[in-house]
Amino acid sequence: MSLANGRHYLAIPGPSVMPDRVLNAMHRAAPNIYAGELVEMTHALIPDLKKVARTDQQVAMYVANGHGAWEAALSNTLSRGDTVLVLGTGRFCHGWGEMAAKMGVQVQTIDFGKQGDIDASQVEDALRADGDHKISAVLSVQVDTSTSVRNDIPALRRAMDQSGHPALLMVDCIACLGCDVFEMDAWGVDVMVTGSQKGLMTPPGMSFVFFNEKADTLREKADCVTHYWDWRPRINPNGYYQYFDGTAPTHHLYGLRAALDMIFEEGLDNVWARHEKLSRMIWAAFEVWGTEGPMQLNISDPAKRSHAVTSVNIGAPNGTALRNWMINNAGVTLGIGLGMNTPDDPNGDGFFRVGHMGHVNAHMVMGLLGTLDTGLKALKIPHGEGALTAASTLMARS
Ligand SMILES: *Cc1c(COP(=O)(O)O)cnc(C)c1O
């Protein structure tokens, strides 16, 4: 008998769980896009988005998903024939680099593998080796959503500074803005991209490019920039339509307003702390399961794990089997093992991911862990006992 009926829980790393408050804010008649409340509300979103990114620099908004923000960041700063240095720590930064290559940009890659984080000293060496400063930008992800690694962006910045190289530091925070600590200005990030549908708890369809003056100087000569992606009119619109180069994403804006209100009511520091604590509860459970069986967190060092997503290896075909069991019997959908394929596991069936970004609290995490424990038993996958106790003990020790 299935016990899946009831409120479904989408526990994948984006789109994340949407708060009812966000959904209710969107449930309204079409607003006027020429004057009035929507226009005022949009102006007011700008300083609040900057608060979440911890920056006093600029933000351009797009009617696009994260891939759109990637293209916007590249096209405003690069020219055909320029070079970017891609720091691969999983699927996502490679994807950003592939996009740059299709735009006519040369791509140099350092690959840190599917379990590694960025080694800043290798980046420093690569930049020192580029004596003529051919590299225009370094592309990185703060969190790679496929491996769940969290890169040390301040260390990357220090390495770039030590090399004396002028390349821009571009960081993809699509997975983790509003989940993992991020300080755009204090960390010296030149360009940061993010989307609406993960930590910002709003449906997919809006994305954001934050950039500083140094990045805007490159915009001057960037020949990849096209009318639609140009960030200049968007940060300094002559008319309301220029914020989005056309019709505004009216209902998304109401949803985003509600989501930002929720973040500020809780306090961004508290939001970060909640994500950290919930992550530690999840890891505690997985570590106990792993003591007697195949379950393994993909990133072994807790200091290098994201607080937004956790990638797990349980061996093929157990990953897919457990995901299917959770959907069919418990009403929980876990993430697939994206980009974690190996020759002996061509479909990534050994992996799954837990999204714990945005609108997630303790009872959701404890429920998820309880159903996972049940799934392991139902499928007779060997595992250590006491995972839930480990998680609840950690939670109680506040
Ligand atoms: C989700 C994600 C993307 C892609 O975003 P889309 O909205 O699916 O285009 C890119 N980078 C990272 C790190 C992500 O988590």
Side-chain angles (χ1 to χ4, degrees):
M1 185 188 65
S2 170
L3 301 178
N5 291 321
R7 193 180 181 100
H8 194 90
Y9 178 10
L10 186 69
I12 70 174
S16 63
V17 172
M18 279 177 280
D20 287 343
R21 190 163 154 194
V22 168
L23 295 172
N24 290 338
M26 298 177 74
H27 191 100
R28 63 175 68 223
N32 185 3
I33 57 165
Y34 298 107
E37 182 186 71
L38 182 75
V39 174
E40 293 313 312
M41 192 183 69
T42 307
H43 295 321
L45 286 171
I46 302 287
D48 285 345
L49 284 165
K50 292 182 189 176
K51 266 190 228 165
V52 177
R54 300 274 177 127
T55 183
D56 293 328
Q57 307 291 332
Q58 303 291 346
V59 58
M61 299 184 285
Y62 293 88
V63 181
N65 60 14
H67 282 69
W70 275 355
E71 183 150 342
L74 297 173
S75 65
N76 278 283
T77 51
L78 300 172
S79 296
R80 288 165 188 81
D82 282 359
T83 300
V84 293
L85 179 61
V86 168
L87 307 180
T89 53
R91 184 69 209 98
F92 283 89
C93 209
H94 289 299
W96 201 2
E98 285 155 18
M99 183 181 267
K102 286 193 182 154
M103 293 168 74
V105 169
Q106 304 292 313
V107 176
Q108 191 180 324
T109 302
I110 310 180
D111 190 353
F112 299 99
K114 292 177 183 175
Q115 291 185 299
D117 64 323
I118 293 170
D119 172 359
S121 68
Q122 286 188 48
V123 180
E124 186 178 338
D125 292 346
L127 292 175
R128 282 188 196 280
D130 178 37
D132 328 330
H133 295 170
K134 284 209 172 67
I135 296 170
S136 307
V138 173
L139 307 191
S140 63
V141 292
Q142 186 186 7
V143 166
D144 194 295
T145 322
S146 61
T147 66
S148 69
V149 77
R150 178 163 49 89
N151 287 305
D152 185 345
I153 301 300
L156 175 59
R157 174 79 262 174
R158 282 194 295 278
M160 290 177 67
D161 289 346
Q162 273 156 25
S163 74
H165 196 291
L168 290 182
L169 172 55
M170 305 223 230
V171 183
D172 170 344
C173 293
I174 299 173
C176 55
L177 191 76
C179 310
D180 280 298
V181 175
F182 180 80
E183 304 268 359
M184 174 157 173
D185 291 355
W187 292 359
V189 172
D190 298 305
V191 177
M192 185 271 276
V193 297
T194 197
S196 55
Q197 80 272 27
K198 297 186 188 180
L200 296 182
M201 307 181 288
T202 302
M206 277 192 81
S207 55
F208 312 94
V209 180
F210 297 79
F211 61 94
N212 65 11
E213 270 177 49
K214 183 178 173 191
D216 196 43
T217 307
L218 267 77
R219 157 68 187 70
E220 216 56 72
K221 58 181 181 64
D223 78 13
C224 288
V225 73
T226 55
H227 176 87
Y228 184 77
W229 295 113
D230 193 353
W231 63 33
R232 289 242 170 114
R234 290 171 189 260
I235 61 160
N236 206 2
N238 287 324
Y240 181 69
Y241 77 98
Q242 285 193 320
Y243 268 125
F244 298 101
D245 198 31
T247 308
T250 48
H251 289 68
H252 277 71
L253 293 170
Y254 282 101
L256 181 64
R257 179 68 267 163
L260 292 172
D261 288 344
M262 290 174 71
I263 289 173
F264 298 134
E265 283 164 22
E266 183 176 353
L268 185 55
D269 293 291
N270 295 330
V271 171
W272 288 337
R274 169 167 53 84
H275 280 86
E276 176 170 358
K277 184 77 180 228
L278 294 174
S279 303
R280 290 189 182 281
M281 289 158 58
I282 291 168
W283 305 338
F286 278 99
E287 275 156 11
V288 171
W289 286 321
T291 55
E292 285 172 56
M295 189 87 95
Q296 262 188 349
L297 292 170
N298 186 52
I299 303 299
S300 54
D301 181 353
K304 294 179 177 175
R305 292 180 194 148
S306 169
H307 301 141
V309 53
T310 296
S311 187
V312 183
N313 184 0
I314 188 172
N318 293 336
T320 299
L322 192 56
R323 277 198 321 104
N324 289 338
W325 187 92
M326 296 282 283
I327 293 170
N328 296 330
N329 297 282
V332 179
T333 301
L334 299 170
I336 60 168
L338 188 71
M340 301 307 280
N341 308 3
T342 56
D344 54 322
D345 179 10
N347 303 316
D349 287 322
F351 283 85
F352 66 89
R353 292 173 301 157
V354 181
H356 37 95
M357 47 182 60
H359 193 54
V360 181
N361 63 16
H363 84 75
M364 294 162 79
V365 163
M366 292 306 291
L368 182 91
L369 296 175
T371 45
L372 266 169
D373 196 70
T374 314
L376 292 170
K377 290 177 169 59
L379 296 172
K380 300 189 166 53
I381 300 171
H383 59 281
E385 287 297 343
L388 293 171
T389 305
S392 58
T393 304
L394 205 156
M395 182 181 165
R397 204 196 308 143
S398 53

